[in-house]
Amino acid sequence: MQGDLRLSLRLLRAYLAATEHGSITGAAAALHVAPSAVATAIDKIEAEFGTVLVTRNRAKGIAPTTAGRALAARIKALLDEYDAVMSEGHALGASLAGDLRIGYYAPVAPAFLPEILQPLMAASPGLRVDLRDCDNDSAQAGLIDGRLDVILFAGGEVRPGIETEALLDIPPYILAPADHPLALRGEATLADLNGADLVLLDLPLAGAYTRRLLETGGIAPRIVATSSSTEMIRSLVGAGTGLAVLNMRPRTRSSYGGAELAEVPLRPPLPGLTLMAGRLAGRPRRAVTVFLDAVRDWFAGPQAAELVVREAGAQAPRQ
């Protein structure tokens, strides 16, 4: 049967060594095996292909026939390719080389991911990063089916087989133009949105989360615009279209349109979202481990606090 592996790599290496050394004993010494093992390998390969591949001469050793030389060349190419595949496979697990595919559902990921990735890429020229904007479902699906290596996502239901760790708790806040009365007051309640014009970040998790907050509080704003883009929401707010309820904030106070914005903390504190990192259960590639270590270190540092809006004097919960 064609699929049977009747000729092992060990047999192929012994045959190739014999043709290269022109001697069974020389091949045996190079491979650290008994001469009989090399002789047996030649016999088995000749039997498999049904032809004489080497001529034996007690005084002069062995010499490959024309067919034997052609087969030796093919075997050498095969073994070289096998060795290359094995080296690349080990490199995937042991070095920061190849592609690192990161899926993220974090509307302000550009505020922190480049800062985390740049030192890793500078230290590992062989590392190539593929960043993909996702929602929670597509991020987890991409991880499970192998299209992604690691994901960052805003909590929610976690699929079986994915290991997660919490990075940051992110409470909601109201985004307003910098000269809005709520911005000047410096704090707000959810009731301040009752009857107000609202622009809604309509992403799968974020949109449902905001609607649930409003419904639970009995608040009925006028939803005048929706967008799946955080920066579009920020620009709409900056233009005076309405207010917005968001969680994470970027590390800038102006919109793409150049308008100055204010993040107004909500009181009393309301249930927020949790930014999480996820990977498949089991032993990850080294690139994934190193990346997650860098993510963990960044979110344990002071920069992460800039992504969260809290009341003045409020302490961030311990991570």
Side-chain angles (χ1 to χ4, degrees):
M1 180 178 176
Q2 283 284 10
D4 291 342
L5 297 177
R6 292 185 289 264
L7 297 178
S8 67
L9 292 173
R10 178 179 56 81
L11 293 176
L12 296 177
R13 291 190 190 281
Y15 172 80
L16 183 61
T19 61
E20 290 178 340
H21 285 83
S23 164
I24 289 177
T25 55
L31 296 174
H32 306 290
V33 298
S36 60
V38 177
T40 298
I42 295 172
D43 291 341
K44 286 187 175 181
I45 290 174
E46 287 184 325
E48 175 67 25
F49 294 113
T51 186
V52 175
L53 297 172
V54 301
T55 58
R56 293 166 173 84
N57 185 305
R58 286 186 179 275
K60 298 181 180 179
I62 65 168
T65 63
T66 301
R69 282 194 298 272
L71 181 63
R74 297 291 296 274
I75 289 174
K76 180 172 175 53
L78 174 65
L79 293 175
D80 285 348
E81 180 65 18
Y82 173 81
D83 290 341
V85 169
M86 292 301 293
S87 295
E88 291 175 10
H90 286 299
L92 290 176
S95 68
L96 299 188
D99 290 346
L100 178 61
R101 300 162 301 173
I102 303 168
Y104 61 91
Y105 174 61
V108 300
F112 59 85
L113 266 180
E115 188 172 331
I116 293 171
L117 287 168
Q118 194 279 331
L120 301 183
M121 298 176 71
S124 304
L127 180 66
R128 178 182 177 275
V129 174
D130 181 4
L131 297 167
R132 304 184 191 182
D133 196 349
C134 306
D135 58 44
N136 268 17
D137 285 340
S138 62
Q140 294 186 58
L143 191 61
I144 289 171
D145 67 21
R147 289 180 289 111
L148 298 173
D149 298 308
V150 62
I151 59 175
L152 303 173
F153 64 111
E157 190 171 331
V158 179
R159 298 189 184 188
I162 296 178
E163 291 187 356
T164 65
E165 59 181 293
L167 299 173
L168 189 67
D169 292 326
I170 38 179
Y173 64 89
I174 292 178
L175 184 70
D179 58 356
H180 191 278
L182 289 181
L184 299 176
R185 190 200 305 170
E187 62 179 21
T189 67
L190 208 57
D192 288 317
L193 294 177
N194 209 20
D197 290 345
L198 186 76
V199 293
L200 179 70
L201 180 61
D202 201 14
L203 290 168
L205 181 69
Y209 164 82
T210 300
R211 287 187 171 97
R212 187 166 58 250
L213 279 182
L214 297 171
E215 290 170 5
T216 300
I219 308 302
R222 294 186 298 272
I223 298 178
V224 296
T226 63
S227 175
S228 61
S229 162
T230 300
E231 192 48 53
M232 181 58 73
I233 293 294
R234 288 171 53 80
S235 293
L236 287 169
V237 171
T241 304
L243 304 171
V245 177
L246 297 175
N247 291 80
M248 298 182 77
R249 68 175 171 189
R251 296 158 75 188
T252 177
R253 298 296 176 265
S254 60
S255 70
Y256 272 8
E260 291 298 311
L261 299 168
E263 297 92 3
V264 185
L266 282 163
R267 60 173 180 83
L270 295 170
L273 298 174
T274 300
L275 182 67
M276 307 178 77
R279 65 171 179 84
L280 285 182
R283 184 176 179 180
R285 290 169 48 202
R286 183 166 177 261
V288 172
T289 300
V290 172
F291 170 71
L292 287 175
D293 286 344
V295 168
R296 198 177 297 114
D297 289 345
W298 194 91
F299 278 94
Q303 310 97 313
E306 298 178 35
L307 307 178
V308 179
V309 176
R310 303 188 191 280
E311 290 184 83
Q315 295 296 314
R318 186 170 296 177
Q319 299 296 315

